[in-house]
Amino acid sequence: MEINDWETTDVLICGCGPTGAMLSAYLGQMSIPNVVLEREADITTDPRGIALDEDGIRFLQGVGIYDSIFTEIGTCMRKFNFISGTELVLEKSPFLTLDYSTTSGGTGHIGFLCHKQPILEKNLRRAMSASSFCALRSESTVYELSEDEQWVYCNYRDANGIERRIRARFFVGADGKTGFTRKQYLEPKGVQMEKVTEEFYEETWVALNWKITLPTPECHPEFPLWALGYTPEQVYDLFFPEEFCFLCNPNRSAVCGRFGLPTDRLWRFEFVVRPGEDGYEMAKPESIKKVVFPYVTHQGSRYGLAHDVQFPDDCINIIRARPFTFSARSCNVWAKDRVILCGDAAHVFPPFGGQGIASGFRDAVSLAWRLALLCRQQQPTPNLHKQVLRAWYQERKQQLEMSLATTLQNGKFVCEANLGKIFIRDWYLWLIQLFPTWRRDLQLGRRKEGLIRYMYSDGMPFMPQFNGGLTLPQVFCKDMTGKVHFTDDVIFRCEHKSIFRLFVYLCNDEELALTRTVLERVEDLSRGEFAAEKVPHIIENITNSPVEDVRNLFRVASAEEFAQSALCRDRPEPTYYEPHLIRTMVGAKYIIMRPDRVIFAACNDEQDLKTAIGCMNDILRC
């Protein structure tokens, strides 16, 4: 077939779920033409994933939709309460509480967002539409792929059933664990999902979403709590507490909590399907009545009443009740030739760590800049893409294994059924929480371990001798007009077209003249990547009134200054915030960044900076 018969783009993405949309948006920021083929006509209205960790929030910020996070997409999950015992209650004192309302994780964000996935996807598509380089084609079904050394050729049917042909330099399957890319194209080529630990994990759970309507004295005059002075909002809070609950019940483990905006009144309840039970039977209304409704039924003695009090069932609208088999698996390779897997197509998570969507985001953002690098090559080295994608997989595999290990540990924690182990666990955690420092460490959970640092191996694009491979901490800063910003937004401003970014970090402004001189001397060496007048300076203390151009001067901001800014609207004020985290963790003046927020090199003098720029140039022109 003649080449002229094929439409051409740089990157073709199959699937416009959260991972595919995130990849497209980041490619668009880097001016890489991409087309997304989505099988469905519209965004699925079923809220599937509901938890997004702080890395995920940071990547949403990166595509320019921070203003929508707490106004449309969701709200802070705040506390996770772990409740022991066999009583079917939510108000029991927890044996452990994790606090995810803090900013202790080093990203400048809260620990977890409870979101509505359809609204999340809507905003990601809005970020895509902001770039002329992104094109979404809904109701488009891929049915055939083929490759040669330079291109991937895709046949698909559009919304009208017409067969279309498009070729791309790279094809990315973000179409889930049952999608075409892996199941139909790559599995026959030897790509397989494999267990990630020797101890194989697989369980079936039922996930249900409830939409709650407030009962009122007018519509439910016989409800007994009105006579005790309770308001409809107070009744809602009593039966559906704000905290997320992990019910470590040896008879039947469960997890529940609110999600979305507070005004949405959405509630998620997930429970394990025990051996011998059928998941589809357990998702039926009669089974839900037996398993879930006891949790929204209170003993009358709690209110001084003779009879139990159940939340009115006609105020509960079940919008989802489905069984899911959860497992921990990852593909043996994520890229074969020019076809790549991302998100659920490449790996699947159990539900105990809120890592599903976040891991897909990490895949997408770390892949986007590598694809931009490859697509910008005029005469690429043969097999360069294989080397680049192999290094991408090796990096991502490190983080994925850590996330999976944490998720599996959480699962064992929630699902423990051995009464002896439960007794030891509960008493041990009770004892160590008598010590304030240990109690705080427990409350911070895995966030106290800090940001990820990749271990170097050949081909990875960072310089370990210059602290490369560490995820850059994000703090708050103020420009010279007093406006508060996230430091990522200062470093990765879209006015720059370079893939790598450079910024300067100083304790005070005494060295400002020297660093500007250094930047002017290395500007030509960077081949236009780092124009001296555009490099931002983030400074802890500015004592002299600057007389030169101040557009790139920023002072590190305090928690109080952030709390008073528009960025803190509708989210908790920052607690455990460390304003000097970049200095304490990175400890360098000249910091070269990759778009995925990983440090390429952090240098303290001109010579080291020149060495790092030379290495960066080798990567950019390879």
Side-chain angles (χ1 to χ4, degrees), residues 417-527:
N418 184 293
L419 296 181
K421 292 181 179 179
I422 291 173
F423 177 83
I424 295 171
R425 176 198 70 195
D426 292 359
W427 275 100
Y428 169 75
L429 290 171
W430 179 82
L431 286 171
I432 65 174
Q433 289 181 81
L434 296 176
F435 301 89
T437 302
W438 293 356
R439 180 183 180 88
R440 175 189 168 182
D441 286 346
L442 273 177
Q443 288 179 339
L444 296 181
R446 63 182 179 87
R447 304 176 78 203
K448 68 179 183 295
E449 299 170 6
L451 298 162
I452 186 172
R453 180 189 293 276
Y454 290 115
M455 302 300 296
Y456 182 79
S457 63
D458 288 345
M460 289 186 178
F462 59 82
M463 303 182 72
Q465 69 271 35
F466 294 145
N467 213 2
L470 172 69
T471 303
L472 179 74
Q474 177 172 229
V475 295
F476 317 132
C477 63
K478 294 178 69 173
D479 62 27
M480 292 300 97
T481 71
K483 183 178 180 180
V484 177
H485 305 265
F486 288 108
T487 48
D488 278 4
D489 294 340
V490 166
I491 298 164
F492 296 98
R493 287 174 293 184
C494 291
E495 64 191 63
H496 300 272
K497 298 302 181 184
S498 57
I499 291 180
F500 291 84
R501 303 295 174 91
L502 171 67
F503 75 99
V504 175
Y505 188 90
L506 299 173
C507 292
N508 55 64
D509 54 0
E510 293 177 359
E511 294 185 85
L512 190 56
L514 173 61
T515 59
R516 283 176 166 167
T517 300
V518 170
L519 293 176
E520 289 171 358
R521 289 202 289 257
V522 303
E523 182 174 339
D524 290 340
L525 181 63
S526 73
R527 299 175 184 272

Side-chain angles (χ1 to χ4, degrees), residues 56 70 102 238 303-304 368 465 470 502 534-535 552 561 577 590:
F70 297 102
T102 73
L238 281 172
Y303 307 101
Q465 69 271 35
L470 172 69
L502 171 67
K534 293 184 178 180
V535 173
N552 293 308
E561 289 170 321
Y577 166 66
Y590 308 100

Side-chain angles (χ1 to χ4, degrees), residues 342-470:
C342 252
D344 288 350
H347 46 75
V348 291
F349 276 81
F352 303 109
Q355 291 299 298
I357 293 177
S359 287
F361 283 178
R362 294 186 191 101
D363 294 348
V365 179
S366 60
L367 177 63
W369 74 265
R370 289 170 163 94
L371 292 179
L373 173 70
L374 292 169
C375 290
R376 290 183 182 184
Q377 301 296 322
Q378 298 300 316
Q379 293 180 327
T381 304
N383 294 321
L384 173 64
H385 65 283
K386 294 182 180 180
Q387 301 168 25
V388 171
L389 295 174
R390 186 181 305 114
W392 167 69
Y393 169 70
Q394 289 171 343
E395 271 192 11
R396 287 293 304 119
K397 191 168 181 286
Q398 291 183 38
Q399 189 280 325
L400 186 85
E401 288 175 347
M402 287 186 281
S403 292
L404 280 169
T406 300
T407 299
L408 291 174
Q409 289 174 0
N410 292 344
K412 292 177 182 178
F413 195 77
V414 174
C415 299
E416 182 60 66
N418 184 293
L419 296 181
K421 292 181 179 179
I422 291 173
F423 177 83
I424 295 171
R425 176 198 70 195
D426 292 359
W427 275 100
Y428 169 75
L429 290 171
W430 179 82
L431 286 171
I432 65 174
Q433 289 181 81
L434 296 176
F435 301 89
T437 302
W438 293 356
R439 180 183 180 88
R440 175 189 168 182
D441 286 346
L442 273 177
Q443 288 179 339
L444 296 181
R446 63 182 179 87
R447 304 176 78 203
K448 68 179 183 295
E449 299 170 6
L451 298 162
I452 186 172
R453 180 189 293 276
Y454 290 115
M455 302 300 296
Y456 182 79
S457 63
D458 288 345
M460 289 186 178
F462 59 82
M463 303 182 72
Q465 69 271 35
F466 294 145
N467 213 2
L470 172 69

Side-chain angles (χ1 to χ4, degrees), residues 29-81:
Q29 284 187 346
M30 290 178 275
S31 303
I32 302 300
N34 65 91
V35 174
V36 185
L37 303 177
E38 168 55 46
R39 182 178 59 185
E40 301 298 329
D42 298 300
I43 295 171
T44 302
T45 58
D46 180 19
R48 291 152 290 164
I50 64 168
L52 187 67
D53 73 6
E54 59 193 295
D55 282 351
I57 300 171
R58 187 178 189 179
F59 292 135
L60 292 178
Q61 172 201 337
V63 293
I65 57 176
Y66 178 80
D67 289 346
S68 298
I69 290 177
F70 297 102
T71 57
E72 296 180 41
I73 298 173
T75 191
C76 178
M77 294 186 85
R78 296 186 181 272
K79 293 183 178 180
F80 289 2
N81 287 338

Side-chain angles (χ1 to χ4, degrees), residues 526-600:
S526 73
R527 299 175 184 272
E529 288 288 309
F530 306 139
E533 73 275 6
K534 293 184 178 180
V535 173
H537 287 64
I538 300 172
I539 306 173
E540 290 183 7
N541 296 295
I542 298 178
T543 57
N544 300 312
S545 299
V547 295
E548 301 178 29
D549 187 356
V550 298
R551 287 176 297 175
N552 293 308
L553 287 184
F554 302 88
R555 180 179 63 79
V556 172
S558 66
E560 292 75 16
E561 289 170 321
F562 180 83
Q564 295 169 10
S565 74
L567 296 177
C568 198
R569 188 178 300 128
D570 298 314
R571 59 156 275 179
E573 295 185 4
T575 53
Y576 299 137
Y577 166 66
E578 299 179 42
H580 303 147
L581 200 56
I582 295 178
R583 168 165 53 85
T584 58
M585 290 190 66
V586 183
K589 296 176 186 175
Y590 308 100
I591 304 171
I592 301 176
M593 293 299 304
R594 300 178 350 188
D596 52 0
R597 282 45 178 171
V598 173
I599 296 171
F600 175 77

